[in-house]
Amino acid sequence: MENFEKDKEEEKLKSRKVKRMLALAVTGAVCVSALGACGSSSDSGKSESTESSDSGESSGGYGDLVMAWWGNQVRNEKTQEALDKYKELNGVSVEGQFYQWNDYWSKMATAAAGNSMPDLIQMDYSYIEQYVDNGQLLDLTPYMESGALDVSNIPENVLAMGEVGDGNYGIAAGVSGNCLFYNKTVTDELGITMTDNMSFDEFVEIAKQITEETGYRANVLSQNNYFTEWSRAEGIPIVEAKLPVASADEYTPFYQIMEDSIKDGWQLTPDYIDTTAVETDPLVYGSSPETMAWCTINGTSNQLTAFQSAAPEGTEIAVTTIPTTDTITSNYLKPALYFSISADTEDPDAAVALLDYLINSEDANGILLGERGVPASTSIADYIYDLVSETEQKSFAYVTDVITPNCSPINPPDPTGMSELTDTMKKVAEKIGYGEATAAEAAQEVYDKGIELWGE
């Protein structure tokens, strides 16, 4: 029996070593694929608007646990510091792996195929159902019920964000809202006041005025980013694997807005748009007003600090709601992202303890300081409010005072196939931006793709 236990322990250590080696191998492969050679440039990607480390490789060394995330450099540094603090407090080391958005999901897919996913992973709303359906995430419900994962200070509506089917597979690492970031320095200089819950027609008039007087254009309709808000406001959001419209004609108005905005000159064309990272977003980067945006749409308000940090000196970035025909319907609160535990973890109790630390510990959150959004725990949110910067306090206030009282429930997680439809939407948006397709042609192409995916 003693030899059996020894062999079992050796096998476990061997398995963990293999997992680490595979993770590093995948990291190298992804980096070479994306950049030609690691370290050749700064990786960057965005769903929340993201950026990776220069190397694209994991941030830490071998550890007792592995945690992976995507994000900007501020997130990378804060998270690694919090993990170092965890080792200091608990004697458990955590290997941190940090990627840009696209590389992160490529890495997760490869690791999942090899049953070697990191113990604790950052999860996105658009992917969680897919990972649950594939049996790749651990159901956290038993740990909540036992108290091993303390959720007593997390409101029910926030806790419910992680529910898929009969289980709960993710704790919101932060709560945020959809939003419009804008250059307040520019609007102030022109005597323009941006108001929350502005109608789309009001916004267009302001956009035209700013372009006429400064050359700055808006970055609202690029890459199809506005579709979610527009479709929610119009009562035709895609919430299941089926198109909610009877014909392409119902999508034509959306693409007509896009076509008109390009012709009228107030929307940036695709050649000036880089949505791969905060630092290269046209709101904060460009060689002249004509190549820059005065506003940009974003799915997560917790990026305000990152945009402000990236903005040129003397520029103030502010946040407001995304203009639509019905902002209360189009506004929504969302998990900025989740912390989830992989079904591949060899020590779920240890992974849960780490998750509990990240959610509930003042030590951890005194370092993280709400970088991922307003903390899910109300007690932690209260604790860090006076510790965060004025910009971060504005982000908190936007969630609690502007979006929370003026929003509708978020759409369910994207159905299977939505990523393919989104790719088609991005392609037709570019065609319109370059004058290669009309609104009607774009709408038809998107509709046909939906029928191909899901049928009539």
Side-chain angles (χ1 to χ4, degrees), residues 75-94:
R75 176 176 301 167
N76 182 37
E77 293 170 357
K78 287 180 179 292
T79 305
Q80 194 58 56
E81 185 179 350
L83 296 180
D84 292 342
K85 185 67 174 181
Y86 188 70
K87 180 179 180 181
E88 176 187 328
L89 294 172
N90 300 284
V92 177
S93 61
V94 184

Side-chain angles (χ1 to χ4, degrees), residues 119-120 137-152 154 159 166-171 340-356 360:
D119 301 279
L120 187 68
L137 299 183
L138 184 72
D139 183 3
L140 302 175
T141 306
Y143 302 94
M144 296 178 186
E145 293 174 345
S146 71
L149 182 58
D150 182 7
V151 295
S152 59
I154 300 178
L159 199 58
D166 296 328
N168 194 307
Y169 297 88
I171 301 295
S340 296
I341 294 177
S342 159
D344 295 334
T345 183
E346 297 172 3
D347 195 341
D349 290 339
V352 167
L354 175 59
L355 173 56
D356 187 77
N360 294 308

Side-chain angles (χ1 to χ4, degrees), residues 22-23 26 105-118 136 344:
L22 177 59
V26 172
W105 295 109
S106 174
K107 194 277 182 187
M108 289 302 105
T110 303
N115 298 316
S116 59
M117 291 177 68
Q136 294 160 342
D344 295 334

Side-chain angles (χ1 to χ4, degrees), residues 223 258 270 425-437:
Q223 300 273 310
M258 191 178 293
M425 290 176 169
K426 289 180 179 180
K427 290 174 183 176
V428 301
E430 286 197 357
K431 289 180 182 179
I432 289 180
Y434 289 121
E436 298 172 353

Side-chain angles (χ1 to χ4, degrees), residues 205-251:
E205 290 306 309
I206 289 174
K208 289 179 177 179
Q209 178 185 347
I210 292 176
T211 300
E212 182 179 345
E213 297 189 29
T214 68
Y216 286 92
R217 289 177 283 177
N219 181 23
V220 174
L221 299 164
S222 66
Q223 300 273 310
N224 217 64
N225 291 340
Y226 187 62
F227 183 82
T228 296
E229 285 71 25
W230 176 85
S231 62
R232 281 170 63 90
E234 298 300 316
I236 51 174
I238 297 174
V239 295
E240 57 181 332
K242 181 180 180 181
L243 288 180
V245 297
S247 73
D249 293 343
E250 294 184 67
Y251 285 150

